Amino acid sequence: MNSASAQVCDCLVIGGGPAGLTGALYLARFRRRVLVIDAGKSRAAGIPRSHNHPGFIDGISGEALLRRLRTQAEEYGAKIISGTVLSLNHEADEFIAETTAGRVMSSRILLATGITDKCPDLEVMDASAVRNSVRYCPVCDGFEAIDKRIAVYGPPEGAAGKTRFLRVYSPFVTLVPSGPHKGGRPAGRGDFAVAPSPAAKIVATDKGVEVALLDGGVLRFDVLYPAMGCRVHSELASALGAKCDKAGCLAVDDKQQTTIAGIYAAGDVVSDLHQLVVAEGHAAVAATAIHNGLPLNLADSP
């Protein structure tokens, strides 16, 4: 294929979240031509403040972390552009990506496309309440909910595990069903409370979250954790035949390579442990494997 009108790189990184930017940083420091195409929808951007990312004693917001990672990657030569990958194909030894920013030809692909959480319908009385009172990852911020009134909203059969996990942090945890119980109330209800009927309406206010139940009751909470699953953005690789699990997470080897040779994946698109440091670790492994798998880029003699 004629590459005259295409951008050419050693590795195209798809996604500008913590995984994609860490991968770009490593590849740039390996003196590789690396291009990141970023749709600007990183899940990390919605983190008000992370207190479990090593090195930030006072915590760091997701947006601040992304800015730092982007600046660091660009400092070493990574090119980062805004856009969306529309399709990905494989011809001979090259991958061809058609994007909103033009065609890109690359020897390797690092998918860092992440996930999108499925959100409940909310009536928002106070916009800041959504950011501060609606959380998705108890592994990330359950510690900040110590002794608070916590609701976990979702199908009872799937939400019980998250509800029980949060009992580590508070005795005031309630599973609020999104629909009727199947086969009776969830097992382990002695560990946590269960709302007497499904939610009819959820309202985010300046004082937290208010849940109106179908039976007419009203419950009030400081924090709401939806447990409704997520959409995994693995379509670009799965369309080429890459294997995924039932949730859509890509299967990878110990070098983060998918079942399609030359396509690597890192972060939430791979793992259901949705953690910043997990994504960054995946990316470091993948980027090193990508570099070692390409022809050696010998430095020129002075």
Side-chain angles (χ1 to χ4, degrees):
M1 177 177 287
N2 184 358
S3 62
S5 60
Q7 298 189 68
V8 180
C9 58
D10 295 315
C11 184
L12 171 63
V13 179
I14 305 175
L21 294 173
T22 299
L25 168 64
Y26 272 66
L27 286 162
R29 285 177 55 82
F30 291 140
R31 306 183 77 180
R32 294 295 182 180
R33 296 172 300 169
V34 55
L35 172 66
V36 180
I37 185 159
D38 179 23
K41 297 179 180 179
S42 173
R43 184 173 181 261
I47 299 172
R49 198 163 195 84
S50 174
H51 293 273
N52 69 340
H53 192 293
F56 297 99
I57 297 173
D58 297 321
I60 185 170
S61 72
E63 291 179 346
L65 180 64
L66 292 173
R67 285 196 301 271
R68 290 189 181 203
L69 289 171
R70 183 183 182 113
T71 298
Q72 190 174 9
E74 290 179 324
E75 179 71 21
Y76 287 101
K79 183 178 180 182
I80 303 172
I81 60 175
S82 297
T84 302
V85 176
L86 305 172
S87 66
L88 184 64
N89 293 290
H90 194 195
E91 296 184 12
D93 295 329
E94 295 286 333
F95 292 95
I96 299 95
E98 300 294 343
T99 85
T100 55
R103 175 174 293 170
V104 179
M105 299 180 65
S106 181
S107 300
R108 299 291 186 271
I109 300 293
L110 176 55
L111 275 177
T113 41
I115 64 170
T116 299
D117 293 295
K118 294 180 181 178
C119 307
D121 292 329
L122 294 172
E123 182 176 320
V124 180
M125 303 298 291
D126 184 273
S128 65
V130 176
R131 188 175 178 88
N132 295 324
S133 299
V134 180
R135 305 291 179 87
Y136 289 89
C137 180
V139 176
C140 300
D141 50 37
F143 189 91
E144 278 65 52
I146 286 177
D147 291 337
K148 291 186 177 181
R149 297 168 299 164
I150 302 171
V152 178
Y153 172 81
E157 299 75 18
K162 181 176 282 190
T163 310
R164 187 172 295 108
F165 181 90
L166 281 159
R167 278 288 283 110
V168 171
Y169 300 104
S170 175
F172 313 113
V173 183
T174 302
L175 193 162
V176 178
S178 57
H181 301 305
K182 295 179 181 179
R185 292 163 71 84
R189 60 185 180 273
D191 298 334
F192 52 82
V194 180
S197 78
K201 183 171 68 173
I202 302 174
V203 182
T205 74
D206 60 348
K207 297 180 180 178
V209 176
E210 185 176 283
V211 180
L213 303 177
L214 284 175
D215 67 2
V218 177
L219 301 175
R220 294 175 176 83
F221 302 96
D222 301 307
V223 183
L224 172 74
Y225 281 89
M228 303 174 66
C230 62
R231 178 191 170 198
V232 183
H233 300 292
S234 53
E235 299 90 347
L236 289 171
S238 62
L240 294 178
K243 291 183 179 179
C244 302
D245 65 15
K246 291 181 179 179
C249 293
L250 288 163
V252 295
D253 62 16
D254 61 352
K255 303 298 184 184
Q256 299 298 131
Q257 185 169 222
T258 69
T259 54
I260 303 295
I263 299 182
Y264 295 73
D268 293 349
V269 74
V270 170
S271 170
D272 62 0
L273 183 57
H274 305 148
Q275 297 292 290
L276 298 170
V277 292
V278 171
E280 292 160 359
H282 285 170
V285 171
T288 303
I290 289 168
H291 170 67
N292 288 336
L294 289 168
L296 192 61
N297 50 338
L298 297 173
D300 294 330
S301 300

